[in-house]
Amino acid sequence: MDQRGISHMPCALKITVTGRVQGVGFRPFIYSLAHKYNLKGTVQNNLDGLLIHVEGDKNSLKDLADEVRHSPPRLAKVDNITIQEAAPSGHDEFMIVPSENKGEAVPWLPADAAVCDLCTAEMNDPADRRYNFPFINCTQCGPRYTIIQGLPYDRPLTAMKGFPMCLSCKEEYEDPGNRRHHAQPVCCPACGPKLTLLNYTGHRLSENSNAIRQTIDFLKKGKIAAIKGVGGYHLACDPFQASAVDRLRQLKRRPQRPLAVMVKSVDAAREFCSLTKNEEQLLSRPETPIVILRRKEGCSLPDILSPGLSTLGVMLPYTPLHHLLLSGELPCLVMTSANTSGLPIFYRDDCQSDLNNLCDYLLTHNRPIERPVDDSVVQWDGEEIIYLRRARGYVPDPLTSKLNVNNILALGGDQKNTFAIGKEHYIFLSPHIGEVENEEMIHSLEDTLCHYKNWLKGEPECIAFDKHPLYETSALAKKLPGIKVPVQHHHAHHVSCMEDNSLMEPCLGIILDGTGYGEDGHIWGFEFLYGNAESVERLGHLSYTPLPGGDKAVREPWRTAAGMLLHYWPEEGRKLAADLFPEETVNLDVISRMVTNGINSPFAGTCGRLFDAVSAILGICTIATYEGEAAIKLADVIEGTALTAHEKEPYPFRVIATQDHGHLLDFSPMIYEIIQEKRQGVAARKIICRFHETIVSSCVQTILSVMAERPELNRTVVLSGGSFQNNYLRKEVKRQLRKKGFTVYTHQQIPIHDGGLSLGQLTIAAHVLKSLSHRKRGEKRCV
């Protein structure tokens, strides 16, 4: 931030503000400040950001500059402020001048924001002309990213271009002193979008306020409604009616995965869940994410919402329509994305026939959604925010990099996919896209990628992608023009955490993950690494065991457990497996032959599969109905509770130093003892706690063993990978390593799982390009 000249303030200043400064009320904010301090000049948007020319009394100029720096508008995210002396131009007033579609700076799109308190109050005021209006908004709230067609962010380039303003709205829009000055989605009942309620055959039942009242009545009767939101449709039902929730699960093909609940207020959330002050703040922020909360004992909401878990995903209403739906007798609603499992969220109006198969009624409106986006999901772990899904409200805000990452595209992985595009020193992560495993999801990825390329005005010159030869994202990379940079999965995780914390020097990394294609052709996921974006060394890993059936073992954790038992103890293991999984006796014969003969039984050493095996052995999850279910249910047992001394006692394990493979972790002694304790009737909680403590101890001991051999290594450690979503593992590994004198970093702005993979890939590709550039320059000098 350049502050030159403030201490000796001239009579005129040129102030340039970059970042998220468009669509957030920055121009009327500057206008009001100029009037407050009796200053003259202009303010304008262009692609460089916000341009301010202001002149007048020196002290007043300083005061204005201080307020711009320290108290920007609610939705603004200032990246940089440059203040320079300027020659006075003799302005006799302060004006907001029209936007210009020019400039060299990296454009920032504004993110969607929850309806603000002022608009909510107006909507609830019978005397206000926007009373009960479900599309009320101002410069400090409302849709942004999801309605934008192009830049600069002005009404003709948004989904609102088809709704000409009435005279009253136009007066507000043109009045620099009004809260709705240049609020692009501004509208009212006379000129704004209209609500329509349809039944599942497409027959129109009612409109506007009548449609809202009728929808509430249907929901109270146990019906399912598809409701058009900001970034797509939700499926909604009354969470207190278990039969409605069960039917929704069947229609959505989501038998066990938790469903989010929207509650009318923080007070309502407090009735069902235990809330800390930080969690209250997370719920109430303009991003209004889904926040993972612990259910209160005796919570009246049915267990079917999050089977087998003590937590619940909760969010507050973030559109005026949500507030209106929850203003009556319904204290909360199930609100889950309107799609069947494994498919993109529905958001177009031409998808109504598909939606009709998922609901009884459809509450829709005629404002188009230009860009689909899911709800964000976060959790407060007692110390910091954990991003489980970075989407609505957080995208498309970029991350700043020390590197020049211009025109690099990283495609991420096939699970929890996000991609990343570099522009100068900014990295733009896409919203959460999901599992790229079918044609519809590939199309969703390609469509979002096309939008980002158009917005950032450039064709990527370098494509980074996962080394897995069968990933859909790898196949897509090969079709795109440009330099190709394949990146090993766990190297990308390692570097993503480094980049998230602005680290450049080589460091240690512990990567606990579910699946990643390894350099030796096996499946990696319990890795001890050392390096940075330029290179990486594998210092140790979990010993490999077979996965009978490959991907089928991921869906059926009992197979992973059986594979481990047959591998560790070929004879006794068959008997142990039969005892643990008596209903699978016939399949065990087949699996035994597969493991013995190496048929469709790839070798894996991953933390995710270790959790699967223990979960299956304990009978908690033998068949997974959603990704990570076994691990999530194990982690839930230990979440938010203090462990006793006995529960903190780790099981036996071995760290074996080898010449060729670094340090090998062997958990077979732990597995055997867990089985014996299960047979003896030891409480599952105690076993689960000791299992967690064993993982923590093994990570710390392996790092200490590495450092004993290699004391010259940097004592900085990064933690990444999907298994570190487990709060106990992440916090305890960090705590215990710090106790041993290590500096430990975890993710700050992006997900710790594969949703952050593209950030690491892009950073590695930037170093590859830098190296290629240096090599070419060297070759020219030699010539």
Side-chain angles (χ1 to χ4, degrees):
M1 188 180 296
D2 185 352
Q3 300 180 30
R4 292 174 300 167
I6 289 192
S7 57
H8 301 289
M9 195 65 62
C11 292
L13 293 177
K14 177 185 176 183
I15 304 174
T16 304
V17 189
T18 60
R20 190 207 283 177
V21 296
Q22 296 191 25
V24 297
F26 224 124
R27 288 176 297 176
F29 168 71
I30 297 298
Y31 180 89
S32 65
L33 287 183
H35 280 262
K36 175 180 175 180
Y37 293 115
N38 195 29
L39 298 171
K40 317 299 182 188
T42 60
V43 60
Q44 180 188 43
N45 275 340
N46 74 5
L47 297 185
D48 280 335
L50 190 76
L51 308 180
I52 306 164
H53 176 90
V54 62
E55 49 194 57
D57 175 75
K58 290 183 180 181
N59 290 330
S60 296
L61 290 171
K62 180 181 184 301
D63 290 340
L64 179 141
D66 286 344
E67 287 210 42
V68 171
R69 188 164 45 248
H70 299 302
S71 304
R74 168 180 180 252
L75 300 184
K77 287 195 175 178
V78 174
D79 175 51
N80 188 54
I81 299 176
T82 302
I83 302 175
Q84 299 172 317
E85 297 181 10
S89 300
H91 289 281
D92 55 10
E93 62 179 330
F94 193 89
M95 297 183 299
I96 297 176
V97 297
S99 302
E100 288 188 341
N101 189 11
K102 68 178 185 179
E104 302 299 325
V106 177
W108 282 42
L109 289 183
D112 303 293
V115 60
C116 68
D117 291 343
L118 289 174
C119 283
T120 305
E122 289 177 350
M123 183 180 69
N124 292 329
D125 180 2
D128 194 277
R129 71 188 186 93
R130 292 188 176 90
Y131 177 57
N132 282 348
F133 181 54
F135 303 97
I136 191 169
N137 67 87
C138 69
T139 57
Q140 296 308 301
C141 67
R144 299 290 192 272
Y145 168 76
T146 51
I147 63 169
I148 290 174
Q149 297 171 337
L151 290 177
Y153 175 57
D154 281 325
R155 195 178 182 100
L157 293 175
T158 74
M160 291 300 295
K161 67 180 181 182
F163 299 93
M165 285 180 278
C166 66
L167 288 177
S168 297
C169 285
K170 192 172 183 183
E171 283 179 9
E172 294 172 331
Y173 182 86
E174 293 176 348
D175 178 4
N178 192 284
R179 196 173 89 252
R180 294 188 170 88
H181 177 68
H182 280 227
Q184 305 309 332
V186 66
C187 56
C188 71
C191 62
K194 310 294 182 188
L195 279 178
T196 303
L197 179 65
L198 309 170
N199 66 12
Y200 72 95
T201 67
H203 178 69
R204 183 174 302 207
L205 301 179
S206 52
E207 293 184 341
N208 299 325
S209 295
N210 289 334
I212 295 172
R213 283 193 294 272
Q214 202 167 0
T215 300
I216 293 170
D217 288 340
F218 287 137
L219 290 168
K220 285 160 56 180
K221 290 175 182 175
K223 302 299 182 181
I224 297 170
I227 297 170
K228 189 175 181 180
V230 169
Y233 284 87
H234 284 108
L235 296 178
C237 70
D238 181 355
F240 291 100
Q241 301 192 46
S243 59
V245 178
D246 183 59
R247 181 164 162 258
L248 186 151
R249 285 192 175 282
Q250 292 175 34
L251 292 170
K252 194 173 162 65
R253 298 204 298 268
R254 189 172 174 173
Q256 290 276 312
R257 193 172 182 177
L259 297 170
V261 175
M262 180 178 283
V263 300
K264 65 167 62 178
S265 65
V266 170
D267 286 339
R270 208 179 281 114
E271 288 181 26
F272 308 122
C273 299
S274 302
L275 281 177
T276 66
K277 186 168 280 295
N278 293 100
E279 287 166 338
E280 288 183 15
Q281 290 172 352
L282 270 177
L283 281 170
S284 306
R285 283 168 62 157
E287 297 89 353
T288 48
I290 297 169
V291 182
I292 306 300
L293 302 173
R294 289 195 74 75
R295 295 166 66 118
K296 278 185 174 176
E297 197 152 335
C299 173
S300 58
L301 289 168
D303 292 339
I304 193 175
L305 294 171
S306 52
L309 299 177
S310 62
T311 56
L312 194 63
V314 177
M315 62 179 157
L316 295 185
Y318 56 85
T319 72
L321 177 58
H322 294 152
H323 281 276
L324 292 169
L325 288 169
L326 290 167
S327 62
E329 299 172 33
L330 292 169
C332 57
L333 287 170
V334 169
M335 279 282 194
T336 185
S337 58
N339 60 330
T340 50
S341 185
L343 293 178
I345 186 173
F346 291 122
Y347 74 99
R348 296 184 186 277
D349 291 328
D350 59 11
C351 67
Q352 289 183 7
S353 59
D354 297 306
L355 280 167
N356 289 339
N357 297 322
L358 295 173
C359 64
D360 303 305
Y361 300 97
L362 186 72
L363 184 60
T364 187
H365 58 76
N366 59 340
R367 183 180 67 199
I369 296 173
E370 297 295 330
R371 301 306 321 154
V373 65
D374 270 305
D375 294 315
S376 292
V377 184
V378 303
Q379 186 173 24
W380 178 256
D381 75 349
E383 298 172 2
E384 56 192 359
I385 301 171
I386 307 301
Y387 293 91
L388 303 176
R389 187 164 70 201
R390 187 175 179 271
R392 178 185 50 77
Y394 296 103
V395 294
D397 286 347
L399 285 69
T400 305
S401 177
K402 294 177 181 177
L403 301 167
N404 183 346
V405 294
N406 200 45
N407 288 337
I408 301 174
L409 165 65
L411 288 172
D414 278 13
Q415 283 77 49
K416 295 183 172 64
N417 177 265
T418 66
F419 63 80
I421 295 184
K423 189 76 172 176
E424 297 177 8
H425 289 272
Y426 295 98
I427 299 173
F428 293 85
L429 261 68
S430 74
H432 167 85
I433 290 170
E435 319 308 304
V436 184
E437 56 189 10
N438 53 50
E439 187 177 344
E440 292 87 352
M441 293 304 296
I442 294 167
H443 177 72
S444 176
L445 166 59
E446 291 176 329
D447 182 58
T448 308
L449 176 58
C450 181
H451 165 71
Y452 266 61
K453 288 195 294 187
N454 290 338
W455 158 40
L456 294 171
K457 298 187 185 305
E459 191 64 38
E461 299 168 358
C462 175
I463 317 296
F465 58 97
D466 195 284
K467 275 190 174 179
H468 197 303
L470 300 180
Y471 268 8
E472 296 290 350
T473 45
S474 302
L476 174 59
K478 290 166 187 172
K479 293 191 294 186
L480 297 173
I483 299 167
K484 307 297 192 299
V485 180
V487 180
Q488 200 281 320
H489 191 90
H490 302 98
H491 186 199
H493 270 303
H494 181 98
V495 175
S496 74
C497 190
M498 292 184 67
E499 181 67 20
D500 204 4
N501 289 280
S502 300
L503 304 177
M504 302 286 282
E505 295 301 315
C507 65
L508 294 158
I510 305 175
I511 316 300
L512 302 187
D513 202 17
T515 299
Y517 184 77
E519 301 282 7
D520 56 5
H522 298 318
I523 302 169
W524 295 4
F526 202 126
E527 310 303 312
F528 298 88
L529 307 178
Y530 186 80
N532 59 6
E534 295 180 31
S535 64
V536 71
E537 178 184 0
R538 193 186 194 200
L539 302 175
H541 63 91
L542 176 62
S543 60
Y544 299 134
T545 54
L547 287 181
D551 287 344
K552 194 168 186 180
V554 178
R555 297 189 296 273
E556 300 180 10
W558 74 267
R559 287 174 172 266
T560 301
M564 283 186 184
L565 301 184
L566 291 164
H567 175 77
Y568 288 137
W569 311 283
E571 293 301 323
E572 187 183 3
R574 174 69 176 79
K575 296 173 185 174
L576 292 171
D579 184 41
L580 289 166
F581 313 115
E583 69 282 2
E584 302 292 351
T585 303
V586 175
N587 286 326
L588 279 171
D589 290 333
V590 177
I591 283 176
S592 182
R593 291 195 295 273
M594 290 170 66
V595 170
T596 301
N597 298 305
I599 300 169
N600 191 22
S601 298
F603 276 93
T606 91
C607 191
R609 302 296 77 80
L610 190 64
F611 268 80
D612 285 355
V614 172
S615 189
I617 288 167
L618 296 178
I620 290 172
C621 181
T622 56
I623 305 293
T625 63
Y626 60 91
E627 196 264 330
E629 180 179 354
I632 289 168
K633 288 183 173 177
L634 278 188
D636 188 77
V637 173
I638 195 172
E639 176 72 20
T641 59
L643 274 61
T644 66
H646 291 301
E647 291 171 338
K648 281 197 165 191
E649 182 184 347
Y651 288 110
F653 63 91
R654 290 190 286 265
V655 180
I656 305 165
T658 70
Q659 192 167 357
D660 299 326
H661 302 288
H663 293 73
L664 282 184
L665 259 179
D666 176 14
F667 284 117
S668 60
M670 175 190 73
I671 296 293
Y672 195 84
E673 194 166 325
I674 285 175
I675 293 171
Q676 301 314 310
E677 289 193 343
K678 168 79 162 47
R679 284 172 153 182
Q680 294 160 15
V682 174
R685 174 184 161 81
K686 182 178 179 182
I687 296 173
I688 293 167
C689 291
R690 291 189 66 196
F691 166 65
H692 276 79
E693 195 61 36
T694 309
I695 303 298
V696 173
S697 297
S698 71
C699 289
V700 174
Q701 187 172 318
T702 304
I703 290 291
L704 292 176
S705 298
V706 165
M707 292 303 295
E709 290 185 5
R710 306 271 298 275
E712 77 280 3
L713 298 182
N714 186 345
R715 292 178 69 86
T716 297
V717 186
V718 293
L719 309 180
S720 190
S723 296
F724 272 126
Q725 291 176 92
N726 183 309
N727 290 331
Y728 186 83
L729 287 189
R730 185 182 63 257
K731 291 165 73 174
E732 274 299 298
V733 169
K734 182 165 59 173
R735 185 185 68 81
Q736 292 195 28
L737 283 174
R738 283 177 175 173
K739 243 175 120 178
K740 300 292 184 182
F742 292 89
T743 304
V744 186
Y745 292 91
T746 56
H747 285 267
Q748 300 298 307
Q749 305 172 81
I750 63 165
I752 202 166
H753 53 61
D754 283 8
L757 206 62
S758 57
L759 176 63
Q761 292 174 345
L762 186 143
T763 306
I764 291 166
H767 279 275
V768 170
L769 289 185
K770 186 178 177 182
S771 176
L772 287 173
S773 176
H774 287 166
R775 201 176 305 157
K776 285 180 182 176
R777 287 203 296 269
E779 288 170 359
K780 286 179 182 177
R781 282 197 294 270
C782 289
V783 171

